[in-house]
Amino acid sequence: MCERTDAENNCKPKSFIKNIEISFEQFRSACPPSFCNKLEYVIYSGTYGDPIAANSLLNIVEYLADHGVVQVLSTNGGLRNTSWWEKLGRALKKVPGSKVEFHIDGLEKTNAIYRIHSRFEKIIENAKTFINTGADAEWHYILFKHNEKDLERAQELSKNMGFKNFLAIDTSRFRKEKRFKYKTPGGEDAYIDPPGTKIQVPIADQNFREGESKVRTVNGIACRSSWQNRPYINANGDISACCWLPGSPDEQKLKEIAGCDSNSSY
């Protein structure tokens, strides 16, 4: 459940979400070895869906790893079998700095409240398989009222399993609202409430915040895309300045300023 899902329509994908992906052949054609050698890192952010759902992801990861590119993959960890996860771990551990960020927001009884239809036992099985290859993994944990009581147990479990880091996240999903209303896949009204414990500085953003003093800010916002020279590319091959912008009015304004056709890529 996130900005990609319609909270009032049984958490189904919003209309702008399309079932598309880039094939390995398309990726290799767009990113030949000469281009890969210029890349520092690639982040699979999951802006429009979980990266591990893409059929060609493993081939792409192995290809970039063979060219020494650092890769960071963000996922809920619930898809694929253990054989797939073992291959992913062996590929990523080739390049120091590569890792998988497992977004697990609770334990047995609480993770699926936000991560609807996820299976905690399957996620843990996949994570164990990945970590056992020697690859690096982080546990990212969004705090809500329903899962804050599980925080310490989750931290302890992450240590026992060999996660490199455990990062608590103070979500911005509530904005001005005091609670988040949604309809479950079964059609029932449900609510998610913010945690009672407030994290003063989101741990997951700590390294970024420490570097903010070096970055020019606009209206108090320091842009990661600008700071890290990190454009966003979707499965269509469209390039945006930031993963928050694709298809938005702000992006249309940027295209107008740049003199680009409003229906074209940069």
Side-chain angles (χ1 to χ4, degrees):
M1 185 174 13
C2 60
E3 295 294 339
R4 298 183 298 273
T5 56
D6 189 343
E8 294 300 317
N9 188 24
N10 301 7
C11 293
K12 294 179 181 179
K14 291 182 179 178
S15 59
F16 67 84
I17 299 298
K18 308 299 181 183
N19 188 22
I20 57 173
E21 59 181 295
I22 188 171
S23 70
F24 176 58
E25 290 72 22
Q26 289 173 319
F27 184 88
R28 186 169 53 183
S29 175
C31 301
S34 58
F35 180 79
C36 293
N37 293 334
K38 299 176 183 179
L39 289 175
E40 292 184 22
Y41 61 91
V42 170
I43 298 174
Y44 306 95
S45 64
T47 302
Y48 289 128
D50 198 306
I52 66 175
N55 292 312
S56 296
L57 177 69
L58 185 57
N59 289 333
I60 292 172
V61 169
E62 291 173 336
Y63 174 72
L64 290 177
D66 288 342
H67 289 87
V69 180
V70 175
Q71 299 173 81
V72 179
L73 196 156
S74 178
T75 177
N76 68 33
L79 298 177
R80 304 295 180 182
N81 57 33
T82 52
S83 175
W84 188 94
W85 281 98
E86 183 175 0
K87 292 176 183 176
L88 180 69
R90 295 190 184 284
L92 288 182
K93 76 173 185 177
K94 292 179 182 178
V95 185
S98 295
K99 62 185 176 182
V100 167
E101 300 170 348
F102 286 87
H103 290 256
I104 311 172
D105 307 318
L107 296 176
E108 299 91 341
K109 296 181 179 180
T110 51
N111 184 57
I113 294 175
Y114 181 73
R115 303 283 172 182
I116 292 176
H117 290 322
S118 64
R119 293 178 293 157
F120 182 77
E121 295 78 10
K122 175 60 177 171
I123 295 168
I124 294 302
E125 179 185 38
N126 289 343
K128 284 181 177 178
T129 300
F130 177 81
I131 293 170
N132 286 342
T133 66
D136 289 343
E138 293 182 348
W139 185 322
H140 288 207
Y141 191 105
I142 300 177
L143 273 175
F144 301 105
K145 183 177 181 179
H146 66 262
N147 70 6
E148 60 183 340
K149 64 181 183 301
D150 292 333
L151 181 60
E152 290 186 8
R153 284 182 56 209
Q155 287 176 306
E156 187 63 28
L157 177 59
S158 73
K159 292 178 183 178
N160 294 337
M161 288 179 59
F163 277 89
K164 201 79 170 178
N165 288 304
F166 183 99
L167 306 175
I169 300 173
D170 186 8
T171 179
S172 62
R173 282 161 174 74
F174 296 102
R175 297 183 176 91
K176 296 180 180 180
E177 295 83 6
K178 294 183 179 180
R179 61 187 342 202
F180 181 81
K181 180 182 178 181
Y182 67 101
K183 285 188 179 295
T184 68
E188 299 87 3
D189 287 337
Y191 298 88
I192 288 182
D193 295 299
T197 304
K198 181 70 174 177
I199 299 178
Q200 296 301 319
V201 177
I203 301 174
D205 288 337
Q206 199 161 13
N207 291 335
F208 174 64
R209 289 171 180 269
E210 289 171 355
E212 281 187 357
S213 59
K214 307 173 187 177
V215 186
R216 184 178 68 87
T217 62
V218 177
N219 296 329
I221 299 174
C223 176
R224 295 189 193 201
S225 181
S226 172
W227 176 41
Q228 298 175 337
N229 189 24
R230 192 175 81 181
Y232 170 76
I233 306 173
N234 68 16
N236 278 330
D238 300 326
I239 301 175
S240 297
C242 171
C243 66
W244 290 90
L245 291 177
S248 69
D250 290 330
E251 183 178 53
Q252 295 304 317
K253 291 179 182 178
L254 287 175
K255 287 186 175 183
E256 291 173 7
I257 293 173
C260 297
D261 186 287
S262 61
N263 295 318
S264 69
S265 303
Y266 288 118

